[in-house]
Amino acid sequence: QLQLVESGGRLVPAGDSLRLSCAGSGLAFRAYAMGWFRQAPGKEREFVAAITQSGSGTRYAESVRGRFTISRDNAKNTVYLQMNSLKPEDTAVYSCARSPRTTGPYDLWGQGTQVTVSS
């Protein structure tokens, strides 16, 4: 069964760091670009970061550029999101997804992991 499972979300104080993981199973993980998205309460889902199949190329939303880093380990079928200098406005459910390319479309999504940043 194809699935993506996120983990690592929790409550942290502002300024702290957190690393999210997204593990893929039952799919040709290395054949897909991977992206991270987030959705805050009452807001639409927004793009956060994406990485190419090999990991050589990345894209970031302006709101997280310089603070977040996306990476992947194809041997472990896992993509990561390292989040530094967290702000309360980073509070959201973070989900990973796969796509043929970093610009989309994304066709398989994980269930999400909650990140809460306290002020």
Side-chain angles (χ1 to χ4, degrees):
Q1 182 176 357
L2 307 180
Q3 62 176 354
L4 297 169
V5 180
E6 302 93 338
S7 61
R10 59 183 176 92
L11 172 65
V12 296
D16 229 16
S17 297
L18 202 58
R19 188 177 81 158
L20 305 182
S21 300
C22 168
S25 62
L27 69 160
F29 185 82
R30 65 183 64 225
Y32 293 90
M34 297 296 296
W36 282 98
F37 294 77
R38 66 186 182 185
Q39 186 167 21
K43 295 187 177 181
E44 299 211 349
R45 183 169 59 198
E46 65 173 350
F47 168 79
V48 175
I51 190 166
T52 58
Q53 286 83 338
S54 67
S56 61
T58 56
R59 294 174 57 231
Y60 294 94
E62 281 302 317
S63 59
V64 306
R65 189 184 303 276
R67 299 189 297 124
F68 291 11
T69 303
I70 188 171
S71 62
R72 67 190 295 164
D73 185 340
N74 286 339
K76 296 182 178 179
N77 284 3
T78 302
V79 62
Y80 305 97
L81 186 67
Q82 176 67 43
M83 305 186 293
N84 299 329
S85 302
L86 283 162
K87 306 175 181 180
E89 51 264 43
D90 294 319
T91 295
V93 174
Y94 285 71
S95 300
C96 64
R98 74 169 193 188
S99 172
R101 50 193 176 276
T102 60
T103 52
Y106 290 84
D107 66 351
L108 181 68
W109 296 79
Q111 84 290 346
T113 185
Q114 176 70 48
V115 172
T116 303
V117 184
S118 62
S119 56

